Amino acid sequence: FPDDLLWDHNNSVILPHLGASTEEAEDAAAAMAADTIKDYLTNGTIKNSVNFPATALPDRPEGSIRITVVHKNEPGMLAKITESVGDDLNIIQQVNHSRGEIAYSVLDIDTAGQTEVVSFKKVQETITLLPGALSSRILYITPGTGYARNMEGKYFV
């Protein structure tokens, strides 16, 4: 804040301090952006987004895989997604948040008794091809991999 001498001086223009322009603020913003992207790639967490809902689950439990789904925000969509997991897989935890026309779901699925990655890829394909589904990711070993899209009813990996 300006002191009284400057505030009342005829030849001064008082402007607010732009703290975001400092080198420290730019470094902090860059670090925050990197941490946000890493958290999304590793855990499927969305935060500080302008066009997606903030969404997070606790850490993925040991012995589980995480599937994230971007879909249209329409009635019954979450039921279709959970039904696609099938009768022989168990959803340990899940969350679904929406913003406008877009929704984002995160599901942790127990891997007990499942020895083949192929079965989880099939679940991902089934979910991704649901009417209203836009894309999905399986988060398991390598962050940033496992992405699939529904391109006009065709499965694109």
Side-chain angles (χ1 to χ4, degrees):
F1 291 98
D3 63 23
D4 290 339
L5 179 66
L6 288 175
W7 186 264
D8 295 327
H9 196 279
N10 289 335
N11 293 328
S12 67
V13 177
I14 309 302
L15 298 173
H17 170 68
L18 297 176
S21 299
T22 65
E23 188 175 326
E24 294 85 3
E26 289 176 3
D27 288 347
M32 183 187 76
D35 290 342
T36 300
I37 291 168
K38 179 182 176 190
D39 202 14
Y40 171 74
L41 292 174
T42 305
N43 301 311
T45 299
I46 295 178
K47 58 185 172 185
N48 304 319
S49 175
V50 296
N51 56 358
F52 268 77
T55 308
L57 269 180
D59 289 342
R60 183 171 52 86
E62 182 106 11
S64 70
I65 64 160
R66 181 165 285 178
I67 296 180
T68 67
V69 185
V70 177
H71 55 90
K72 294 178 182 175
N73 184 21
E74 20 183 74
M77 195 65 211
L78 188 56
K80 291 177 193 172
I81 292 169
T82 55
E83 287 172 8
S84 296
V85 171
D87 294 333
D88 51 342
L89 295 175
N90 183 41
I91 298 173
I92 301 169
Q93 59 183 353
Q94 67 182 3
V95 65
N96 179 68
H97 289 157
S98 63
R99 177 182 279 177
E101 297 178 3
I102 295 293
Y104 182 68
S105 299
V106 182
L107 302 89
D108 287 343
I109 300 172
D110 191 1
T111 60
Q114 303 296 320
T115 57
E116 295 187 28
V117 173
V118 175
S119 62
F120 295 112
K121 287 292 194 179
K122 185 65 180 157
V123 168
Q124 181 184 23
E125 182 176 355
T126 301
I127 290 171
T128 305
L129 289 176
L130 289 170
L134 303 173
S135 66
S136 66
R137 281 193 319 133
I138 290 183
L139 299 138
Y140 187 57
I141 297 172
T142 307
T145 62
Y147 179 77
R149 281 194 63 192
N150 182 338
M151 309 241 340
E152 299 177 4
K154 293 191 169 59
Y155 187 61
F156 177 75
V157 182

